[in-house]
Amino acid sequence: MKQKLKVILILAGVIVVFTGLLALNLFANRIPQNPTGTVGNTAGNLYNGGYFCEDSDGRVFFSNSYDNGTLYVMNVDESEVEKLSSNTVKSINTGGDYLYYYMSDSSASTGLGFVRRIIGVYRSDKDGKDAKTLSRNPAATLLLVDNYLYVQSIPDNGGIHFLKLSIDGEEETVLSTDKIYPASVYNGRIYYNDNANSHFLYQWDTNTDATALVVKYNMWNPIRQGDYIYFMDILENYRLCRYNLNEDIIEVLTTNRVDSYNITDQYIYYQKSSETQPGLMRINLDGSEEVMIAEGVYNNINTTSYYVYFQEFGNTVTTYRVAHGNTEVSEFFAASNAVTISE
């Protein structure tokens, strides 16, 4: 009897230890939930490739054009630039202790904590390590809202999928086969223009996964900021406008044809399309005080709280930047010098 009791106690102890280790492992691998209201990047950056992303601590994660678009980090004042991986990234988002991005390619080097030559949507620590694949499908863009990633995905079998991915990688849901480009979110609602038929403005409620029409007007690249929707006016030569949600009126901000734009709390930066005087322009949010920042044709306009970064069309290596409120353009030497140092 004593021997039998001893065996039972030993088995019970083993079960307790095993259960404890299992619980500890599950807890260690659990991804903490983000606070309500978490948004991974600004709409303007995501419309322009999502090559720069600033977190709440003033750190900027960016795709270094001088190093094959690989992942780097720096302070917002461009100090302490550091390489995090040898993989080419875009659509960078950040939330909590993690980064989320689309890995589109890999360099010939080993990389820092990554599996090489595997495209897809990834989550990693903010030091670039412990990357986890969340989706292997090619993606046009992705947006973090609270604890889910909303992805415009291009499956191998063709078509377009609007995906919802949980940040722990356990859930993947096809929300729609419409061409929905997730970039602008406000109070849990993603604002987008219908690409299939009308180009009218819709909103996708991330709490209910239901869509609703906002206004019947042809818009491109809508961005909600406060009580306004900023957009490119398709029917009027892609001029830049804003729609007042409270008063149901449209304000014209510039009559210039716009190729792309980005927006901050104070300024709008846009590429003016012109055969004679193209240039990167800056205006106030109400369209006043138009200033040419740089003459020429530029794209990939990304912003942080200090600088605006952009590239000359056709040149995917050289990146320029200008401080907000300034017109003195210079090359992004902090990024190019960091490559030289790392080599």
Side-chain angles (χ1 to χ4, degrees), residues 194-265:
D194 165 40
N195 282 300
N197 300 300
S198 62
H199 295 105
F200 293 161
L201 179 67
Y202 286 80
Q203 63 180 20
W204 188 283
D205 191 327
T206 60
N207 295 309
T208 62
D209 286 331
T211 188
L213 176 67
V214 178
V215 62
K216 292 183 177 181
Y217 197 86
N218 298 88
M219 298 185 178
W220 190 253
N221 287 4
I223 297 177
R224 176 160 183 182
Q225 186 159 300
D227 295 327
Y228 292 96
I229 302 290
Y230 294 81
F231 66 95
M232 295 158 63
D233 189 341
I234 295 175
L235 296 183
E236 294 293 338
N237 198 34
Y238 289 87
R239 65 185 182 182
L240 196 61
C241 300
R242 66 178 183 180
Y243 171 67
N244 189 316
L245 289 162
N246 293 329
E247 301 179 13
D248 191 29
I249 60 173
I250 290 175
E251 303 173 23
V252 178
L253 303 179
T254 178
T255 56
N256 293 326
R257 180 184 172 92
V258 174
D259 289 334
S260 61
Y261 77 104
N262 202 329
I263 185 171
T264 69
D265 291 339

Side-chain angles (χ1 to χ4, degrees), residues 39-336:
V39 177
N41 203 343
T42 66
N45 283 355
L46 293 176
Y47 279 133
N48 286 274
Y51 296 114
F52 287 76
C53 181
E54 182 176 345
D55 71 4
S56 58
D57 296 322
R59 293 198 300 167
V60 176
F61 302 89
F62 67 100
S63 174
N64 193 340
S65 61
Y66 296 92
D67 193 9
N68 197 39
T70 53
L71 182 63
Y72 278 65
V73 66
M74 64 181 177
N75 294 325
V76 72
D77 63 357
E78 299 183 350
S79 63
E80 300 181 18
V81 183
E82 179 185 358
K83 184 172 184 175
L84 298 182
S85 86
S86 296
N87 298 287
T88 302
V89 299
K90 61 180 292 188
S91 294
I92 305 169
N93 285 248
T94 182
D97 297 327
Y98 297 95
L99 297 175
Y100 305 85
Y101 48 81
Y102 179 66
M103 192 167 79
S104 58
D105 195 4
S106 300
S107 68
S109 60
T110 303
L112 305 177
F114 288 95
V115 178
R116 294 185 298 153
R117 297 183 177 86
I118 299 179
I119 66 170
V121 178
Y122 281 76
R123 183 196 72 230
S124 77
D125 296 339
K126 283 191 173 180
D127 59 5
K129 298 179 180 178
D130 296 326
K132 176 179 176 59
T133 309
L134 301 181
S135 174
R136 289 284 173 82
N137 287 322
T141 190
L142 57 113
L143 167 66
L144 174 67
V145 182
D146 294 337
N147 298 297
Y148 290 92
L149 291 165
Y150 293 84
V151 184
Q152 187 186 91
S153 179
I154 309 168
D156 291 335
N157 58 1
I160 297 290
H161 283 176
F162 181 45
L163 293 183
K164 179 180 182 179
L165 304 175
S166 60
I167 59 174
D168 59 8
E170 298 299 321
E171 302 174 44
E172 178 175 327
T173 306
V174 177
L175 298 175
S176 175
T177 55
D178 290 338
K179 193 176 180 181
I180 296 174
Y181 196 97
S184 178
V185 62
Y186 187 88
N187 287 342
R189 292 178 173 86
I190 296 173
Y191 290 82
Y192 67 97
N193 54 267
D194 165 40
N195 282 300
N197 300 300
S198 62
H199 295 105
F200 293 161
L201 179 67
Y202 286 80
Q203 63 180 20
W204 188 283
D205 191 327
T206 60
N207 295 309
T208 62
D209 286 331
T211 188
L213 176 67
V214 178
V215 62
K216 292 183 177 181
Y217 197 86
N218 298 88
M219 298 185 178
W220 190 253
N221 287 4
I223 297 177
R224 176 160 183 182
Q225 186 159 300
D227 295 327
Y228 292 96
I229 302 290
Y230 294 81
F231 66 95
M232 295 158 63
D233 189 341
I234 295 175
L235 296 183
E236 294 293 338
N237 198 34
Y238 289 87
R239 65 185 182 182
L240 196 61
C241 300
R242 66 178 183 180
Y243 171 67
N244 189 316
L245 289 162
N246 293 329
E247 301 179 13
D248 191 29
I249 60 173
I250 290 175
E251 303 173 23
V252 178
L253 303 179
T254 178
T255 56
N256 293 326
R257 180 184 172 92
V258 174
D259 289 334
S260 61
Y261 77 104
N262 202 329
I263 185 171
T264 69
D265 291 339
Q266 187 175 359
Y267 300 112
I268 300 172
Y269 297 88
Y270 73 89
Q271 173 59 39
K272 173 184 173 182
S273 178
S274 170
E275 293 184 0
T276 57
Q277 268 194 319
L280 180 68
M281 313 297 292
R282 185 190 72 214
I283 55 176
N284 294 331
L285 296 181
D286 61 1
S288 62
E289 299 184 23
E290 184 174 79
V291 176
M292 178 175 282
I293 300 295
E295 188 172 352
V297 181
Y298 300 94
N299 61 1
N300 299 332
I301 308 167
N302 279 241
T303 68
T304 68
S305 57
Y306 270 39
Y307 294 104
V308 180
Y309 297 89
F310 54 96
Q311 293 180 308
E312 189 173 15
F313 184 78
N315 182 348
T316 60
V317 176
T318 306
T319 297
Y320 300 95
R321 46 73 136 175
V322 61
H324 293 303
N326 206 326
T327 57
E328 185 177 344
V329 175
S330 59
E331 193 175 337
F332 186 18
F333 289 117
S336 59

